[in-house]
Amino acid sequence: MAVRQADVVLVGGGVMSATLGMMLRQLDPSLDIVMVERLDHVAHESTDGWNNAGTGHAGYCELNYTPETDDGDVAIERALKINASFEVSLQFWSHLVEQGMLPEPKSFINRTPHQSFVWGEDGVKFLKRRHEKLSAHHLFREMEYTKSPRDLEEWMPLVVNNRDPMQKVAATRIKHGSDVDFGSLTRSMVEFLETTPNFELMLSSPVHYLAKRDNGRWKVRVKNQKTGELTKLEAGFVFLGAGGGALPMLQKSNIDESKGYGGFPVSGQWLVCQKPEIVQQHYSKVYGKAPIGAPPMSVPHLDTRIINGEPALLFGPFAGFTTRFLKQGSVFDLFGSVRSANLRPMLSVSRTNMDLTRYLIGEVFQSHSDRVASLRNYFPDAREEDWRLQDAGQRVQIIKKSPEGGGKLEFGTEIVAAKDGTLAALLGASPGASTAVQAMIDVIQRCFPERMESSEWQERMKVMVPSYGQSLVDDEQLLKKVRERTLSTLKLS
């Protein structure tokens, strides 16, 4: 059987692989790129619009990105980093729109105010301090804060109508927040890649074998689920961007850097309302504080969503325990990921996170009435019959070996790369897709260091991302220039 030679193999047809493919195509149009996807179309797992929050995660409204410190202060460093990373994504998408590589912005991104809402004396005190610290920084200078009933009636009418007038409440708002349909965005990027030379998309083709040859190149075998045809690929670089499926394949690679990693899978569900008379009354993303014991991905929010062009309201997510790593995966995924190198960290995490486990199991057994009761914290007039339950995507949180030899559960994203730069994988969940561009820049810098140092690649990267190599956190004038362009181009202003 002939071996299909390629420069790059992208495993997974989601937003990460598509973003990396688009960037590499512009850095070097001659690269031969193959994308392999286990399903019969791209962007149908974590990237699909129904399977993620769709929030352009910029730290504007997500309270878990600004944790309260032991002394009662608020830490904002993570929010600053995430905001700057999202600005990088906006620059790249703006470039693609300007070059005609993406369709009209409204097909994948829409202006949607980002708001935080809290109640109770402690919640109000926390939000006020959060606003004080964030709005003092140029990245968040446009953030508004209010306790005014009149303002709240304007900002979030569904949330405050018929609420107890004696309840202490407060909110913040950034008007230029966004709702992103990452599924539509990814499908558009892949459609463009298919029009370019030296690109091949292989659908219904899961990876069955992954190993490194003595010559430093990677052997990848995929089998078409519909025809049974086996294809042998060989590539100089492999990227594992398969969401929850990335960890098992990283383990197959057997690179030293993969040792000790485990995964903690979490499922999710939304309450969905598509009744126009209700949907039209709410146009924002309203985030609250997560219940005690809940994972960060379970921060409750009432969202305006536009998925495949259709508006809806979503509330959730409601988390649950699962042993699948993918929505269309196997119940044996978790057990199959256990290795001698990660057994101790995984057992350690299971012992030290019993509150989380109990919370997730409790979520599974909630009734529809229970879920709507949670919704009424954000929409007091919600009726059970107006909302249906929709399964969201699977998330696999990272379990890492701690310095003490035990394990630590991580809730961010992490790039794991071979020391020779021939393979990289993206693990983890939030903030995920919103920071895909910055994550893929990191992959390119780590895996193509010599080419990235060349003047040609430097110049091309700065065309795609004008702020490349500079700090949006530190440079206020640069942010102003960048943000004016992106908000205009993507029609978010």
Side-chain angles (χ1 to χ4, degrees), residues 172-320:
T172 57
R173 175 175 74 169
I174 288 278
K175 290 182 180 180
H176 61 250
S178 59
D179 174 70
V180 186
D181 183 346
F182 288 105
S184 294
L185 169 66
T186 299
R187 286 186 284 273
S188 292
M189 287 195 288
V190 174
E191 285 172 10
F192 173 78
L193 284 170
E194 287 189 281
T195 69
T196 66
N198 307 318
F199 178 83
E200 182 177 358
L201 173 63
M202 302 177 66
L203 298 173
S204 303
S205 300
V207 174
H208 283 263
Y209 180 82
L210 176 67
K212 195 172 186 182
R213 293 192 59 192
D214 292 339
N215 64 2
R217 291 172 66 80
W218 285 90
K219 294 185 291 184
V220 184
R221 291 180 190 164
V222 299
K223 185 176 183 180
N224 189 295
Q225 298 291 82
K226 293 183 177 179
T227 67
E229 180 183 2
L230 185 69
T231 301
K232 293 183 178 180
L233 303 168
E234 187 177 297
F237 173 71
V238 174
F239 175 67
L240 306 177
L247 175 61
M249 280 185 283
L250 178 63
Q251 292 175 326
K252 282 183 182 180
S253 75
N254 206 34
I255 62 173
D256 292 340
E257 292 78 7
S258 70
K259 303 297 190 297
Y261 279 94
F264 186 90
V266 179
S267 61
Q269 293 177 310
W270 304 105
L271 284 177
V272 179
C273 175
Q274 291 180 292
K275 290 193 171 184
E277 63 271 25
I278 297 175
V279 174
Q280 291 168 5
Q281 295 181 60
H282 183 85
Y283 196 77
S284 68
K285 292 178 179 289
V286 178
Y287 273 59
K289 297 190 77 172
I292 294 173
M297 62 164 283
S298 295
V299 172
H301 41 101
L302 179 63
D303 285 6
T304 294
R305 295 297 309 276
I306 300 174
I307 301 174
N308 301 322
E310 296 296 322
L313 289 187
L314 271 65
F315 177 76
F318 297 95

Side-chain angles (χ1 to χ4, degrees), residues 3-21:
V3 178
R4 165 75 162 87
Q5 298 290 334
D7 295 308
V8 175
V9 170
L10 305 171
V11 180
V15 67
M16 295 295 176
S17 290
T19 299
L20 182 57

Side-chain angles (χ1 to χ4, degrees), residues 331-346:
V331 294
F332 299 108
D333 287 343
L334 174 60
F335 309 109
S337 72
V338 178
R339 302 285 191 276
S340 58
N342 67 14
L343 179 59
R344 186 178 175 191
M346 292 179 75

Side-chain angles (χ1 to χ4, degrees), residues 439-454:
M440 294 306 98
I441 289 174
D442 293 345
V443 167
I444 293 170
Q445 289 175 327
R446 292 175 64 176
C447 297
F448 299 84
E450 292 182 3
R451 300 204 67 183
M452 198 60 247
E453 289 175 4
S454 70

